[in-house]
Amino acid sequence: MGSLMTAIVGSKTPERRQNVIETVEIIEKSGKGALLPGEGEAGSQSPPVLGDDVCLIPGEPIVRIEKAPDNSVRIFAGIDVVTPMEEVWSILTDYDKLTNVIPSLVSTRVLSYADCGGARIEQVGSADLFPGVAFKAKMTLDVRLYLEENPIPDDQIAGYVADITTPSAEVRDIGQKLPLERGVFPRPYALTSLPHRDITMQNVKGTPGDFEHYQGVWRVQSLPGCAPQGAEAARLTYAVEIKPKGLLPVSLIEKRIAADLKINLMAIREAAEANVLLLQ
């Protein structure tokens, strides 16, 4: 990764976190969009998937929370970024520097690298549940990369959303009955025929951690139909399914995790767009 990238991503930048948090506070106070999903069925108005004809620019991140069986949950989120797809990808795959970009990450450590470009990493994340009460989660994750010519195999994706016309209520009904299965990842939140890349993350069984089950899929895609004139655009989405260990009800942490995911997406967008400005 070059020196210009290091200037943005490679140094501690608490100002970026503060800028993102201030932006979120402005959004909440203006009434134009709440950071935390509302009461009741969180994200109930969000679509089951994002198609290529949906543009989120200059909108804020979108989030959807779906109930799952046995004290578990699936969370989906997406944001559009005015940068080439490769710029977002380079941030996500620079594992050692993720804590400098993603606000909810307390620490990340690469334990080993894989031939596929992935890695086994140890992460500690933190979320403020209530004033003075923080939830910290430690995980060891196996990360695997899938490029355009090497997509995720179909049998490793829960494919119960046929297309963007599948009714939201139908998707929720299926999802709340569909058990979590290791090695079968939640559907990517972006359904696209455009060039895209995926990153899967799965907690390693038998290692210390606060989740019994954690599987997620990052998807980065090009988005030419939503790009401003003279610029390039990309879409970044994350789909994750979570089951806490022990007796902790997932309902106590799901909204906070969803809220922090929105902050994380905004921070990644800010870092990627700042990098592009430096290169101009």
Side-chain angles (χ1 to χ4, degrees), residues 4-83:
L4 286 177
M5 177 67 76
T6 304
I8 294 295
V9 179
S11 60
K12 287 290 182 183
T13 53
E15 296 84 0
R16 175 180 299 120
R17 175 182 171 85
Q18 187 60 36
N19 288 343
V20 171
I21 291 174
E22 288 175 356
T23 300
V24 166
E25 289 175 347
I26 291 171
I27 293 168
E28 289 185 314
K29 290 176 181 178
S30 71
K32 293 181 179 178
L35 171 65
L36 284 170
E39 296 181 1
E41 190 145 48
S44 59
Q45 302 303 312
S46 301
V49 290
L50 297 176
D52 297 333
D53 59 338
V54 175
C55 297
L56 303 180
I57 297 173
E60 296 307 319
I62 189 169
V63 67
R64 178 183 172 95
I65 299 178
E66 295 181 3
K67 297 183 184 299
D70 195 20
N71 192 39
S72 58
V73 68
R74 295 182 178 95
I75 303 174
F76 305 85
I79 196 169
D80 289 353
V81 187
V82 186
T83 67

Side-chain angles (χ1 to χ4, degrees), residues 74-93:
R74 295 182 178 95
I75 303 174
F76 305 85
I79 196 169
D80 289 353
V81 187
V82 186
T83 67
M85 177 176 72
E86 292 76 14
E87 193 65 50
V88 180
W89 182 260
S90 67
I91 290 174
L92 293 177
T93 55

Side-chain angles (χ1 to χ4, degrees), residues 126-169:
S126 178
D128 295 326
L129 297 181
F130 312 104
V133 179
F135 171 75
K136 282 193 174 181
K138 180 179 179 180
M139 290 183 291
T140 301
L141 297 165
D142 278 335
V143 180
R144 185 176 178 89
L145 310 186
Y146 295 88
L147 303 180
E148 293 91 332
E149 66 276 8
N150 178 36
I152 304 176
D154 290 342
D155 61 358
Q156 292 182 23
I157 292 291
Y160 56 93
V161 177
D163 54 46
I164 60 174
T165 65
T166 306
S168 178

Side-chain angles (χ1 to χ4, degrees), residues 16-17 20 79 91 101-103 262-272:
R16 175 180 299 120
R17 175 182 171 85
V20 171
I79 196 169
I91 290 174
V101 177
I102 299 180
K262 294 180 76 171
I263 292 177
N264 293 344
L265 291 178
M266 292 171 70
I268 294 168
R269 176 175 65 182
E270 183 174 331

